[in-house]
Amino acid sequence: MTKQYLKPVALALAVSLALAACGKHDAADNAPAPTSTAPAPASTTAAADLGKSIFDISELGDSAQACQDFNSFVNAKWVKANPIPADQTVWGAFSVLHEKSLADQRQLVENAEKNADGAKAGSIDQKLGWLYHSSMDMDARNKAGFDPIKADLAGIDALKSNKELSTWLNQSFAKGDGAVFNFGSGADFKDAKIQIAYTEQSGLGLPTPDYYTDAKNKDVRDAYVKYLAKLFEMTGSSAADAGKQAALAMKFETDLAQHSIPRVEMRKPENQYHFATVAEANKVTPHFDWNAFFKAQGVTIDKGFSLSQPKFFAEFDKLIASAPMDEWKAYLKARTISSAAPALSEPFVDAQFDFYGKTLRGQPQQQPQWKRSLGSVNGAMGMALGELYVAKYFTPEAKARAEELVTNVRDALKTRIENLDWMSAETKTKALDKWSKFLPKIGYPKTWRNWDGLTITKDSYYANMQAASKFNYEYDIAKIGKPTDRQDWGMTPQTVNAYYNPTDNTINFPAAILQPPFFDAKADDAINYGGIGAVIGHEASHGFDDQGSQFDGDGNNLNWWTDADKKQFEARTGKLVDQFNGYAPLADHPELHVNGTLTLGENIADLGGLNIAYDALQTALKKNPTEAASKIEGYTQDQRFFLNWARVWRGDIREKAQMVYLNADPHSPMKFRAMGAPSNMPTFASAFQCKAGDAMVAPTDKQVKIW
């Protein structure tokens, strides 16, 4: 079960994102802050090693490109020499580091598998080993076929009334599966110290609602219906009946999509939170009793919960009351089969890949089984694997150095807020109060999860995944009514990413991203500040992006701006929207542009983060004049700072995958992230001697300055 409301904003789209089935594997698609602000030592590197480059300048293009197309200058040679592997849709710096993390994790799980039988009963080593083994045992999975879901499909076929339907939905959620909508815990937007229950629109098998209505997506819709029909045939329906059921399921999903809030509008907090008492919610859904639902989940609701999109739930209720039972059955069976497909036999795995991988995203080949199995382990017991990962691969020294960088970059953000020329003193006071309450978290959680109560066996992969789904669902909803734990993590340590969470005001940096090209203990300051420094600045800037700026330092959704300052902010961010609206990433489809509104939060964070990291670098260099005055292989510290920023975003993406991400991803394409922020910075133009009129120098009237 995936919580969708106000997701913590991550640095980049997960490399392993799979726009697969919904239900418990939905389509794609958490202590007081430190009081000390004393600066850490500014230099985080070994200056004595300046003569040896950490950046391979042979990868650079003609220097004349720097002021025209900085991404091509830094990355074109690498991209040409490193084509996208057949089992990937994206390939770049994130991908390479992700592959390293996977290789490290593979050693851990294969060692756990090897020793699982003799491991301590109930230990995480045994559970991880048996879970991985059961996923890798394709002979057993092929022998089982779709037997693991026959009882579920029979239960759906047996439904005869609206009352039975509601009971089935309640019980499905209680098993950790869910259908039609999402349910879970989250901080109350109006009192972030407390966790409340959230329900949110969901239930779609295609990436976004417009896939069901936009004419340009007709071919995808047709392929999706064929995919569903194939699933029905594979579970015993005749070809004719399978086609009818697929059409009914598509009709049902289209209805849900037409009453779902579009992705851009879902960026607005008011579309993510709608507090209601249970009695008020029952008026919105008179045919679906929330009292019965919460009782089935074992959850006690006090004052109320967030019925986050009332329009969607009103339609959900209408469907319960009036949609033919055959339509409901077709939809629920389609979601059940598609959700289960990755855990069933090879024909089901292949069928799902054929649609979501090949057709939707243009991926020629599936990833090898060990990677898919590792993905299952991460989905089910990711934090347990993280405990082993940190013990072997993340040193105390790396954590300490990262903490120094975080402090230095945060201090630079404070200085920039204090010196803003467009913000009033009144709003600055509120902004600095929020800054003071940031909680940085480095590497891994302070306390590891307890996995007692989760039963994993050696020989039943589907049963293991069901058990983990229920276990994790119950772990999540047990938080409802309890105080928000700011030390909670929303990413595993082995994830190559970082994120900001507006409802607890935390910036989070998993262990796996604290490696080259982001962070290197042997590198000069410019490389580290252009890499992980800019990442730190990016996450901190999310606290002041178009969404984060609507939450205060305690995580509450309230307005802390004067009207005049808010207008200034919106005028400046509007220019950034215009800038990214102008980018068209696909040469063969010049009509397809970046959605500057959908990607606004990430673009604000890139621009703010890079400016903040640059300031932090200058502070560090003032304390190390030898390094500041030195060139490394002909490049200054300022130049190397921007070079590493662009290197972080090097990469390529398949055309079909890019089309999906333009609709669904709040991150801009990589090449525009490499160039978008620097083109607004006079410090970049100065570093590379760019002139007015060069493509990498935004005209004065269009240059964006926010934080």
Side-chain angles (χ1 to χ4, degrees):
M1 211 287 298
T2 306
K3 295 189 291 184
Q4 301 292 320
Y5 42 85
L6 197 67
K7 294 178 180 178
V9 276
L11 173 70
L13 187 71
V15 174
S16 58
L17 174 67
L19 292 164
C22 79
K24 68 174 181 291
H25 307 293
D26 270 30
D29 173 9
N30 310 8
T35 56
S36 172
T37 58
S43 179
T44 64
T45 63
D49 203 26
L50 288 179
K52 184 178 180 181
S53 176
I54 304 295
F55 189 103
D56 185 359
I57 63 170
S58 70
E59 295 176 341
L60 299 176
D62 187 329
S63 59
Q65 288 181 296
C67 295
Q68 306 305 322
D69 185 340
F70 193 58
N71 176 68
S72 291
F73 169 58
V74 178
N75 296 325
K77 280 187 179 180
W78 186 93
V79 170
K80 184 177 181 180
N82 294 272
I84 304 172
D87 66 344
Q88 306 283 338
T89 57
V90 179
W91 193 248
F94 274 87
S95 310
V96 172
L97 191 50
H98 176 69
E99 291 295 308
K100 179 184 182 301
S101 178
L102 290 181
D104 291 341
Q105 294 171 55
R106 184 183 188 183
Q107 289 187 13
L108 295 172
V109 295
E110 288 186 347
N111 185 63
E113 180 190 25
K114 178 181 177 181
N115 299 309
D117 290 350
K120 181 181 177 182
S123 64
I124 62 171
D125 297 81
Q126 184 180 72
K127 290 175 181 178
L128 289 168
W130 280 353
L131 179 60
Y132 183 73
H133 175 83
S134 66
S135 177
M136 292 290 290
D137 188 358
M138 194 55 74
D139 287 341
R141 291 170 56 181
N142 285 336
K143 184 177 180 180
F146 72 98
D147 286 352
I149 61 171
K150 282 183 177 178
D152 292 330
L153 297 178
I156 295 170
D157 276 328
L159 296 175
K160 295 182 175 63
S161 67
N162 295 342
K163 182 177 180 180
E164 289 181 355
L165 173 61
S166 293
T167 298
W168 186 94
L169 290 170
N170 293 346
Q171 292 173 346
S172 178
F173 271 95
K175 293 191 300 182
D177 288 350
V180 189
F181 60 89
N182 284 330
F183 176 67
S185 67
D188 189 336
F189 275 24
K190 301 305 180 184
D191 183 10
K193 294 179 181 179
I194 296 295
Q195 295 282 298
I196 63 169
Y198 280 78
T199 60
E200 196 211 42
Q201 67 182 36
S202 186
L204 306 180
L206 293 176
T208 59
D210 65 320
Y211 270 85
Y212 292 85
T213 56
D214 196 318
K216 70 183 181 186
N217 293 318
K218 183 181 183 302
D219 288 346
V220 173
R221 288 195 295 273
D222 290 345
Y224 180 56
V225 172
K226 290 180 180 178
Y227 161 65
L228 295 182
K230 185 172 185 178
L231 295 183
F232 283 119
E233 280 196 72
M234 292 167 65
T235 50
S237 297
S238 67
D241 187 49
K244 291 178 182 177
Q245 291 188 77
L248 288 173
M250 185 61 172
K251 179 178 181 296
F252 189 96
E253 288 190 30
T254 301
D255 202 334
L256 289 181
Q258 290 172 332
H259 293 83
S260 297
I261 297 175
R263 186 63 61 97
V264 169
E265 293 301 308
M266 278 292 286
R267 289 187 58 76
K268 299 177 181 178
E270 61 266 30
N271 287 331
Q272 302 169 18
Y273 174 89
H274 178 82
F275 194 83
T277 65
V278 174
E280 289 169 340
N282 279 339
K283 290 180 180 178
V284 176
T285 62
H287 301 94
F288 186 80
D289 182 5
W290 291 102
N291 281 305
F293 175 80
F294 292 129
K295 183 178 180 180
Q297 311 316 306
V299 170
T300 299
I301 301 299
D302 185 12
K303 297 178 181 179
F305 68 104
S306 179
L307 188 74
S308 300
Q309 296 83 31
K311 175 185 172 183
F312 175 88
F313 284 98
E315 183 62 20
F316 160 64
D317 185 75
K318 179 182 175 182
L319 290 169
I320 287 180
S322 60
M325 193 57 63
D326 284 348
E327 191 174 308
W328 266 104
K329 290 179 181 180
Y331 168 74
L332 293 175
K333 286 165 63 177
R335 301 275 42 85
T336 296
I337 305 167
S338 191
S339 287
L344 298 177
S345 60
E346 284 180 294
F348 288 91
V349 175
D350 293 343
Q352 190 181 75
F353 173 75
D354 283 345
F355 174 69
Y356 286 107
K358 289 182 179 179
T359 300
L360 190 60
R361 296 183 296 151
Q363 181 176 327
Q365 295 178 12
Q366 287 200 73
Q367 292 193 335
Q369 182 59 51
W370 73 266
K371 287 186 181 180
R372 287 180 272 145
S373 294
L374 195 53
S376 298
V377 171
N378 272 295
M381 295 184 66
M383 201 57 79
L385 180 55
E387 189 172 350
L388 303 185
Y389 178 87
V390 166
K392 184 168 183 178
Y393 297 111
F394 191 58
T395 67
E397 290 77 16
K399 183 178 174 72
R401 285 184 176 274
E403 287 172 343
E404 290 177 6
L405 280 162
V406 168
T407 298
N408 297 339
V409 174
R410 285 185 66 236
D411 287 348
L413 172 58
K414 181 183 180 184
T415 300
R416 289 191 76 88
I417 293 173
E418 291 171 336
N419 294 326
L420 287 175
D421 59 5
W422 59 268
M423 182 179 281
S424 69
E426 180 181 350
T427 304
K428 280 184 183 179
T429 298
K430 299 291 181 61
L432 290 169
D433 177 70
K434 178 167 187 174
W435 171 90
S436 72
K437 294 176 179 177
F438 271 140
L439 175 62
K441 296 184 298 191
I442 311 296
Y444 53 91
K446 284 189 174 181
T447 303
W448 295 105
R449 272 187 68 177
N450 186 316
W451 296 89
D452 292 347
L454 172 60
T455 299
I456 298 293
T457 65
K458 187 177 181 179
D459 56 2
S460 181
Y461 175 47
Y462 183 81
N464 286 338
M465 294 303 289
Q466 284 291 97
S469 182
K470 186 174 188 294
F471 182 83
N472 288 322
Y473 174 68
E474 291 175 347
Y475 175 82
D476 175 51
I477 64 174
K479 299 174 184 177
I480 294 170
K482 295 180 180 177
T484 295
D485 180 5
R486 297 183 76 205
Q487 294 294 343
D488 201 10
W489 276 71
M491 274 183 187
T492 64
Q494 62 271 30
T495 302
V496 182
N497 218 327
Y499 73 96
Y500 170 75
N501 189 344
T503 58
D504 63 16
N505 199 25
T506 61
I507 49 177
N508 308 263
F509 308 98
I513 200 171
L514 300 171
Q515 302 180 72
F518 297 95
F519 174 73
D520 190 333
K522 297 179 180 179
D524 48 299
D525 277 328
I527 294 298
N528 280 329
Y529 279 99
I532 197 63
V535 170
I536 295 164
H538 174 104
E539 300 308 337
S541 295
H542 268 310
F544 303 96
D545 70 12
D546 60 313
Q547 283 190 319
S549 62
Q550 299 183 62
F551 292 79
D552 67 9
D554 296 315
N556 297 309
N557 176 214
L558 56 79
N559 181 23
W560 45 271
W561 297 71
T562 66
D563 290 343
D565 289 337
K566 193 66 173 178
K567 288 180 181 178
Q568 277 269 23
F569 177 75
E570 290 173 348
R572 291 166 184 268
T573 59
K575 291 169 69 174
L576 198 59
V577 170
D578 292 341
Q579 176 185 347
F580 279 83
N581 278 344
Y583 292 141
L586 298 172
D588 292 339
H589 294 276
E591 76 282 3
L592 299 180
H593 286 247
V594 175
N595 186 326
T597 303
L598 177 63
T599 60
L600 179 58
E602 298 300 326
N603 299 332
I604 292 172
D606 279 353
L607 179 59
L610 197 59
N611 273 291
I612 294 162
Y614 180 84
D615 288 356
L617 171 63
Q618 304 314 305
T619 300
L621 292 177
K622 284 179 182 178
K623 296 183 179 182
N624 193 341
T626 300
E627 184 173 347
S630 300
K631 286 187 177 182
I632 300 178
E633 295 184 322
Y635 290 92
T636 66
Q637 283 285 286
D638 279 15
Q639 290 173 328
R640 286 171 67 78
F641 170 84
F642 289 108
L643 289 173
N644 202 41
W645 166 258
R647 178 171 66 163
V648 163
W649 298 112
R650 69 172 31 158
D652 199 6
I653 182 171
R654 298 190 188 279
E655 183 179 273
K656 285 186 176 182
Q658 186 65 85
M659 290 179 177
V660 172
Y661 295 161
L662 287 174
N663 283 323
D665 183 14
H667 304 83
S668 295
M670 292 177 285
K671 60 184 176 183
F672 299 131
R673 298 187 75 173
M675 298 190 296
S679 70
N680 287 303
M681 297 172 63
T683 50
F684 171 83
S686 176
F688 289 92
Q689 294 83 53
C690 302
K691 300 178 177 61
D694 287 340
M696 283 298 301
V697 181
T700 302
D701 62 331
K702 293 183 178 180
Q703 196 171 98
V704 185
K705 300 178 182 178
I706 305 174
W707 296 106

